[in-house]
Amino acid sequence: FSALLLVSCNSKAESFKGNAYQAERDGIKVTLNFSAAENRVYGKVVNNYFGTYTTEGSIIKFGPMGSTMMMGPENAMKVEHEYFTFMSSVDNYEFKGNNLILKNSDGTSWSFEKTGEAKQ
């Protein structure tokens, strides 16, 4: 039984691969997509962004994010800045139902609802 439980937990840890998620902050949509083939993420706030990530158990670390450099409404730019700052400090995750919760050590979290499969 414990071997089955261990296999079940390990497969759950990778269940975000190939999936698309979306969050909303102050009316601004934030997308987060996980590549099915590589440890890469991409999405959009105001700008399109891309980066890498690594996982070990419930620990997740995102590498530096690259992005396009377009301007948008002030509130959207503020959300984008907060998001990129947050993503650089994320250190763990959990799933709750259809949501992926990313967290950092200071207690900040963002909840992303699964929206389907990531487009490659």
Side-chain angles (χ1 to χ4, degrees), residues 44-85:
K44 183 175 183 173
V45 188
V46 172
N47 289 284
N48 293 315
Y49 70 89
F50 53 90
T52 60
Y53 70 95
T54 58
T55 60
E56 185 175 324
S58 64
I59 297 169
I60 189 167
K61 298 282 185 181
F62 293 93
M65 298 286 179
S67 73
T68 57
M69 304 282 283
M70 300 189 38
M71 292 297 293
E74 185 176 340
N75 67 324
M77 295 303 294
K78 180 178 181 249
V79 168
E80 183 174 83
H81 175 74
E82 289 170 359
Y83 176 66
F84 288 150
T85 300

